[in-house]
Amino acid sequence: MLELQNITKYYKHSVNSNPAVNHVNLLVKEKDFISVIGPSGSGKSTLFHIITGLLKPSEGIVALDGKELTTLKKKDIFLAEQISFIMQGQNLLTNFTVEDNLYFPLYLAGIKGDYRERVREVLELVGLYGAVSSYPDRLSGGELRRIAIARALMQKPRILIADEPTSNLDTANAIKVMELFRKINEEGTALLISTHDERFLPYSKSIYRMEMGNLALL
Ligand code: ADP
Ligand code: ADP
């Protein structure tokens, strides 16, 4: 399904001359639950930003079903390719209700339609339908994280990619998030997660370790 082929990334203004990501290959198949662990600075965010298209690799390609993603426009990827991302520091819009926050990515992508039923489904999935009309400042950190997951599920993605989805959460909330990922995976969405949260490992079907830009299966 999603394939990273020989991805290398050098930063122009890097403090050292080693690549942040070094000849990385990875295949994400249907129903996968892949966790990428590794210390801070090992290249996880760089790799995930390349997959999202935020960063261009120095070498290598990202392909979905054999089609190179870099040649597609973002909107096309969103619409046709069904990959969804939860990146770090991606916050909800404070002046909009939860419901409007869930619509927002669809709106940006130019998708029109009545999504009330889908809003209900994803909020029930994350256990927060009660918050449909709330503003983000009324919600706790753990609830906001689950709303961000709900938002990422709006378009029924085939692959959900999340960068450090349990960072800064206490154990109870981290476990809620991980159980939610398990449920999402059981319902058929492939997961690719970057984490240094060891608690994620028992939930994963395969674990990769990133170290100094190199990715290896554990
Ligand atoms: P991780 O997500 O595993 O913490 P990063 O991908 O953020 O790792 O960083 C990998 C390496 O790339 C680090 O050495 C970091 O200092 C470097 N790096 C990250 N972003 C930049 C940037 N914008 N410019 C230069 N170097 C960067
Ligand atoms: P994390 O490890 O939590 O992903 P980082 O602390 O590595 O985050 O990076 C935070 C931000 O700083 C990112 O946008 C990254 O691109 C940038 N960054 C990281 N390292 C460097 C660096 N050596 N030079 C310039 N920018 C960097």
Side-chain angles (χ1 to χ4, degrees):
M1 192 161 49
L2 180 70
E3 197 172 2
L4 310 186
Q5 295 170 4
N6 208 18
I7 299 285
T8 295
K9 176 67 185 180
Y10 287 95
Y11 282 109
K12 279 203 191 81
H13 306 289
S14 181
V15 283
N16 55 36
S17 56
N18 300 326
V21 169
N22 189 15
H23 297 292
V24 163
N25 292 292
L26 179 69
L27 182 62
V28 183
K29 300 195 292 284
E30 312 276 342
K31 303 197 172 74
D32 267 346
F33 190 151
I34 297 175
S35 289
V36 177
I37 59 165
S40 192
S42 60
K44 302 183 300 298
S45 295
T46 301
L47 184 65
F48 277 54
H49 286 158
I50 288 169
I51 302 171
T52 63
L54 276 173
L55 264 182
K56 268 195 153 171
S58 311
E59 283 169 44
I61 62 171
V62 182
L64 190 79
D65 301 329
K67 265 185 284 173
E68 192 175 342
L69 289 186
T70 41
T71 61
L72 295 173
K73 289 202 198 87
K74 262 212 148 149
K75 186 173 152 183
D76 296 333
I77 297 171
F78 184 91
L79 281 172
E81 310 296 348
Q82 302 290 306
I83 304 180
S84 202
F85 305 100
I86 304 170
M87 300 315 273
Q88 283 187 64
Q90 200 183 47
N91 298 316
L92 301 180
L93 301 167
T94 51
N95 294 329
F96 291 88
T97 62
V98 163
E99 180 171 33
D100 288 339
N101 269 283
L102 296 187
Y103 280 126
F104 196 62
L106 300 172
Y107 169 77
L108 282 184
I111 302 174
K112 295 194 178 74
D114 186 356
Y115 277 89
R116 262 172 299 186
E117 193 47 42
R118 186 63 188 152
V119 165
R120 174 188 279 276
E121 278 171 17
V122 295
L123 286 178
E124 282 177 348
L125 179 75
V126 304
L128 288 170
Y129 187 64
V132 62
S133 302
S134 302
Y135 287 87
D137 63 359
R138 296 285 159 213
L139 302 172
S140 72
E143 288 167 341
L144 291 173
R145 204 63 66 88
R146 277 146 62 210
I147 297 289
I149 295 169
R151 179 176 57 181
L153 293 173
M154 280 294 287
Q155 89 271 25
K156 302 185 180 168
R158 289 165 65 201
I159 310 175
L160 178 61
I161 297 175
D163 193 7
E164 298 281 359
T166 56
S167 60
N168 305 318
L169 292 183
D170 59 26
T171 300
N173 278 303
I175 286 173
K176 269 188 197 166
V177 164
M178 290 185 278
E179 292 289 350
L180 184 55
F181 277 115
R182 172 181 286 166
K183 194 155 78 174
I184 291 164
N185 182 240
E186 281 170 359
E187 290 184 1
T189 302
L191 299 177
L192 176 61
I193 284 162
S194 136
T195 187
H196 43 240
D197 190 340
E198 303 262 320
R199 292 170 299 199
F200 241 117
L201 305 186
Y203 290 85
S204 316
K205 292 176 183 165
S206 30
I207 301 161
Y208 285 80
R209 182 169 176 82
M210 191 112 195
E211 208 155 359
M212 293 171 67
N214 297 297
L215 187 72
L217 183 62
L218 275 194

